Amino acid sequence: SVMDEVWKMKLFFLADIHGSEYYLAKAMDRFEKERASFLVLVGDLLYHGPRNPFPRDYSPAKVAEMLNELDKKIIAIRGNCDSDVDQMVLSFPMLSDHGSILINNKRIFLSHGHVYNSENLAPLNRGDIFVTAHTHIPEILEKDGVIVFNPGSISLPKGGSVNSYGVMDEEVFVVKDLNGNVIKEKVAGVK
């Protein structure tokens, strides 16, 4: 039934694409293989930003075109490198600084990470999930009863990490590399 599908939602998290056609194509292939319900974009989609080098196959227009093909499956928020002009070429909303997904009586709070982050949590309840990005370093940790989940960067990994994405399937949080290998994993045990 429709209700059963709602409770068995698998989410695919992608962050810090920074305009790389090459890495987005690999991530979209993984999205298809993971068979996730939604593609959740945690900011910094099209532009490389003034502090980053150009990623491989930098093509913001092509990245926009590729993402628009999945617009009905996308939930997105703005990163610090995203702007109003980016919204003009995207067919899904992405200008909100924060977002919430409610599932199984828990809130999944989305924030790119330049305002709220693992050092400065948004006001959340025990058992809620805080999804962030911005550092380009994947992490899954528990802080003050909240799961902090950062999928890392698909295009410009930092801190010795690899190109990565995240998956949340029920109560399991996983960060994977572009071949689908598990880098980090945590089963939510927060009550």
Side-chain angles (χ1 to χ4, degrees):
S1 78
V2 172
M3 286 308 290
D4 290 337
E5 290 173 29
V6 170
W7 301 120
K8 290 181 174 57
M9 193 178 300
K10 183 176 185 181
L11 301 174
F12 186 104
F13 296 94
L14 198 52
D16 297 292
I17 302 166
H18 289 289
S20 173
E21 176 187 352
Y22 176 82
Y23 287 113
L24 178 59
K26 289 189 168 296
M28 288 176 80
D29 181 56
R30 293 305 314 162
F31 176 68
E32 204 172 294
K33 285 183 168 73
E34 294 281 358
R35 303 177 57 83
S37 308
F38 288 96
L39 174 58
V40 183
L41 302 175
V42 198
D44 285 358
L45 312 181
L46 304 182
Y47 178 53
H48 74 290
R51 297 182 304 175
N52 295 307
F54 285 106
R56 182 169 175 180
D57 294 352
Y58 182 67
S59 178
K62 184 66 179 163
V63 166
E65 192 179 299
M66 293 163 71
L67 289 173
N68 285 340
E69 290 173 19
L70 290 174
D71 61 1
K72 289 179 179 65
K73 288 186 172 269
I74 290 177
I75 297 167
I77 59 162
R78 176 202 299 248
N80 61 311
C81 294
D82 296 321
S83 67
D84 292 356
V85 73
D86 297 342
Q87 182 64 80
M88 295 172 72
V89 297
L90 294 168
S91 59
F92 53 89
M94 49 68 72
L95 284 178
S96 180
D97 288 332
H98 309 100
S100 288
I101 300 168
L102 297 173
I103 184 168
N104 291 348
N105 217 16
K106 293 195 187 322
R107 175 158 78 155
I108 301 170
F109 181 79
L110 310 170
S111 180
H112 180 64
H114 59 294
V115 177
Y116 293 114
N117 50 53
S118 59
E119 299 303 310
N120 178 34
L121 288 180
L124 296 167
N125 295 305
R126 283 186 73 73
D128 284 347
I129 296 116
F130 173 58
V131 179
T132 184
H134 187 57
T135 61
H136 298 211
I137 300 169
E139 67 177 349
I140 311 171
L141 55 94
E142 190 180 312
K143 184 172 183 186
D144 301 331
V146 172
I147 301 267
V148 178
F149 187 42
N150 184 331
S153 172
I154 196 67
S155 304
L156 296 166
K158 294 181 180 173
S161 62
V162 299
N163 306 71
S164 61
Y165 64 92
V167 174
M168 179 187 162
D169 194 357
E170 302 294 311
E171 299 283 302
V172 181
F173 299 84
V174 186
V175 174
K176 296 183 178 183
D177 68 15
L178 290 172
N179 294 316
N181 299 311
V182 174
I183 296 168
K184 293 178 181 282
E185 184 172 18
K186 179 173 177 54
V187 178
V190 184
K191 295 288 173 260

